[in-house]
Amino acid sequence: MPAPNMDVVVSLAKRRGFVFPSSEIYGGMGGFWDYGPLGVELKNNLKAAWWRSMVQLRDDIVGLDAAIVMNPRVWEVSGHVAGFSDPMVDCRNCKLRFRAEDLKGPPSEIACPNCGQRGTLTEPRKFNLMFKTHVGPVEDTASVAYLRPETAQGIFVNFDNVATVTRRKLPFGIAQVGKSFRNEITPGNFIFRDREFEQMEMEFFVHPLDEDKWFAYWVAERLRWWTDAVGVASDRLRLRPHDADELSHYSKQTTDIEYAFPMGWSELEGVADRTDYDLTAHSRGSGKSLTYFDEAAGDHVTPYVIEPAMGVDRGVLTMLFDAYEEQQLEREKRVVLHLKPLLAPVKVAVLPLLRNRPELVEIARRLAGDLRAALHAMYDDTASIGKLYRRQDEIGTPFCVTVDVDSLTDGAATIRERDSMTQERVALAQISGRIQDLVAGSAWTGTARPDEAAGDA
Ligand code: GAP
């Protein structure tokens, strides 16, 4: 199925309430976005799936939720104050600023990508990406603090706390989900590069001798998660090891998981081998030994760290692209989001076939209430059944339940599945259980309804 272009996805996201520009009534703000009623559900479902697979289904990883603003020494010691910068190039003519790595050639030879003038680009200069703020009432240098540009440092500075209270032995990991902030010079491609975004990071502490083994494991494991847990098409994902000159200041080796976005293959997640860089730096910086006693060797070692780090917003964007399909039915076009049921914002919509029949409306509302106790269900009777199905297809609702006139006599209703548009007739008392099983992954056994495939329903 061909991938949609960016405009199509941005338009769907706005039209259906997945993502809005932040503070839109004041003209928005570059690099900041608000997640609408469906977007927040999709995003929460993605975070829950990650947390479940990283923390709840494993016994070697625990969770953490650290503060966004930390002691500024953290960022001096971690190398971010000195080294967390992008080389930037300014155009002396149009005054715009570009990331040096986005330019296709040396500044002295190429034209400005905005105004087209030659010879106007400066040599690259470093620009620190951290947002600064002041803590307390006085805005002087002593009160400067930073909004974290990665969640990882909150994990490193809590290494000792967590290791002590959980009595973990190597290897073990600490996972965290939370906001990060970067003063990106060129935010863009919708929610791909933002100034405020969310990360899901896991720092996996290993014995230094096991570094390569665990690096390979996490690269493979994370790629598998994107295909198996999220359902992203494997031919739109690839692994790309970093060249030596693009490694972050803390990394010995990094492999990106890239997705085939409309603007080209781009990073969705990175798996980095941070060695003992951070724990050694914080041991020195804090004067507190962040080591681990290796019983076999009878000595203290500083663990090495393998870090899978992904952006939630890029994950949401990937899901929207990957799930999107426009299908030509016999008489109409339908847009469908093939989201996995566990990730879909709404799991089931209950629809009365005729909204002017109070008996049908009553059954449908009652069913929606029963379903809501177990999962995210909605009731809708604001259009014809065909239109209602299309609306749900477009937001990725995997199942619809239709209450029709026969329901009054046979005590059953129809479950309709999004992708195949086939149907099962199920007793009203069993609908809630059946939907819960289907959302959890039970096999679908629906039969075809040619009238809907033709676009009549
Ligand atoms: N702790 C390691 C770290 O932060 P990173 O490659 O800079 O590594 C990890 O970021 C992930 O965070 C990226 O793969 C990307 O998905 C996401 N990310 C980074 N910068 C972002 C931005 N400006 N907007 C949205 N997501 C971003």
Side-chain angles (χ1 to χ4, degrees):
M1 117 185 138
N5 65 35
M6 184 67 89
D7 292 345
V8 167
V9 166
V10 174
S11 147
L12 172 78
K14 174 84 200 290
R15 192 172 69 248
R16 299 309 313 271
F18 283 93
V19 181
F20 306 121
S22 161
S23 37
E24 191 179 11
I25 58 170
Y26 291 101
M29 183 134 176
F32 298 90
W33 298 92
D34 297 340
Y35 285 79
L38 295 178
V40 65
E41 298 287 345
L42 183 57
K43 198 175 176 208
N44 283 344
N45 293 343
L46 183 68
K47 291 193 280 188
W50 186 87
W51 194 259
R52 180 136 183 81
S53 70
M54 281 299 208
V55 179
Q56 295 172 340
L57 290 177
R58 303 182 65 112
D59 65 0
D60 56 355
I61 301 179
V62 294
L64 180 77
D65 184 12
I68 288 173
V69 175
M70 304 166 77
N71 188 311
R73 281 284 291 149
V74 169
W75 304 108
E76 287 161 25
V77 168
S78 69
H80 284 80
V81 171
F84 193 61
S85 50
D86 268 354
M88 304 301 302
V89 168
D90 290 292
C91 174
R92 292 190 201 88
N93 181 47
C94 68
K95 311 289 182 217
L96 278 195
R97 187 169 269 181
F98 309 93
R99 286 150 59 92
E101 71 174 44
D102 293 341
L103 298 177
K104 299 189 174 36
S108 55
E109 292 172 19
I110 59 167
C112 167
N114 179 52
C115 68
Q117 291 278 316
R118 285 187 182 275
T120 56
L121 297 178
T122 62
E123 282 306 305
R125 283 186 288 231
K126 291 206 159 182
F127 180 88
N128 195 292
L129 297 179
M130 280 196 296
F131 275 105
K132 269 189 196 160
T133 185
H134 293 270
V135 175
V138 185
E139 294 198 3
D140 59 9
T141 46
S143 68
V144 166
Y146 302 94
L147 303 190
R148 68 180 176 200
E150 62 167 5
T151 62
Q153 295 302 324
I155 295 178
F156 297 131
V157 300
N158 275 294
F159 170 76
D160 204 45
N161 283 338
V162 175
T164 305
V165 299
T166 60
R167 298 170 193 279
R168 295 277 155 174
K169 293 212 183 329
L170 295 184
F172 76 91
I174 305 178
Q176 178 165 223
V177 179
K179 290 264 177 151
S180 288
F181 301 80
R182 295 184 190 176
N183 197 2
E184 299 280 0
I185 306 304
T186 48
N189 286 320
F190 191 32
I191 51 174
F192 179 82
R193 192 182 305 285
D194 316 314
R195 291 181 167 131
E196 174 178 341
F197 55 100
E198 230 169 332
Q199 288 185 309
M200 304 206 275
E201 301 198 290
M202 195 277 291
E203 310 302 317
F204 201 70
F205 301 94
V206 303
H207 193 284
L209 294 175
D210 294 337
E211 167 197 24
D212 288 332
K213 183 177 86 181
W214 282 108
F215 181 73
Y217 168 84
W218 279 112
V219 169
E221 186 61 15
R222 294 303 305 148
L223 183 63
R224 196 180 64 77
W225 185 80
W226 282 108
T227 54
D228 295 8
V230 186
V232 174
S234 55
D235 60 349
R236 292 194 194 158
L237 290 169
R238 73 173 188 190
L239 297 175
R240 190 183 69 81
H242 278 205
D243 292 333
D245 62 357
E246 57 177 327
L247 289 171
S248 305
H249 64 274
Y250 50 71
S251 174
K252 176 172 155 192
Q253 50 181 335
T254 295
T255 292
D256 283 347
I257 298 173
E258 295 189 332
Y259 181 77
F261 288 104
M263 65 278 191
W265 287 101
S266 309
E267 175 186 351
L268 170 59
E269 168 160 358
V271 182
D273 174 357
R274 296 179 78 129
T275 68
D276 58 352
Y277 176 90
D278 301 274
L279 290 183
T280 301
H282 288 304
S283 289
R284 270 198 221 110
S286 67
K288 184 169 173 59
S289 164
L290 301 177
T291 55
Y292 167 84
F293 187 71
D294 181 5
E295 278 163 18
D299 202 1
H300 285 270
V301 292
T302 305
Y304 272 36
V305 172
I306 307 300
E307 175 199 65
M310 68 161 284
V312 181
D313 311 78
R314 283 186 197 180
V316 169
L317 187 60
T318 300
M319 285 196 289
L320 290 176
F321 274 119
D322 210 67
Y324 186 96
E325 187 183 19
E326 280 175 23
Q327 292 177 340
Q328 190 56 54
L329 306 182
E330 253 172 60
R331 271 186 276 273
E332 63 171 318
K333 192 182 85 171
R334 83 162 179 156
V335 170
V336 53
L337 282 188
H338 298 284
L339 293 169
K340 280 201 152 201
L342 279 173
L343 295 162
V346 178
K347 311 299 184 207
V348 57
V350 185
L351 319 167
L353 190 65
L354 303 166
R355 67 178 142 159
N356 55 3
R357 293 284 298 267
E359 325 90 275
L360 301 189
V361 168
E362 195 205 318
I363 295 174
R365 282 198 183 278
R366 200 171 347 111
L367 255 183
D370 292 348
L371 283 158
R372 236 176 246 130
L375 36 73
H376 194 198
M378 67 180 281
Y379 170 89
D380 195 2
D381 66 5
T382 57
S384 69
I385 192 72
K387 276 216 181 83
L388 294 178
Y389 281 155
R390 295 296 161 267
R391 272 188 207 161
Q392 297 300 329
D393 291 342
E394 202 182 37
I395 62 169
T397 306
F399 304 104
C400 290
V401 175
T402 308
V403 177
D404 54 28
V405 180
D406 290 344
S407 304
L408 299 172
T409 47
D410 70 0
T414 299
I415 301 180
R416 176 255 197 197
E417 195 268 341
R418 175 196 67 204
D419 296 345
S420 61
M421 297 185 288
T422 55
Q423 306 196 337
E424 276 180 14
R425 190 85 183 161
V426 177
L428 292 173
Q430 268 134 44
I431 293 255
S432 180
R434 179 70 180 134
I435 292 286
Q436 288 176 60
D437 289 347
L438 287 168
V439 168
S442 285
W444 172 251
T445 57
T447 46
R449 266 198 36 175
D451 54 341
E452 201 207 345
D456 284 344

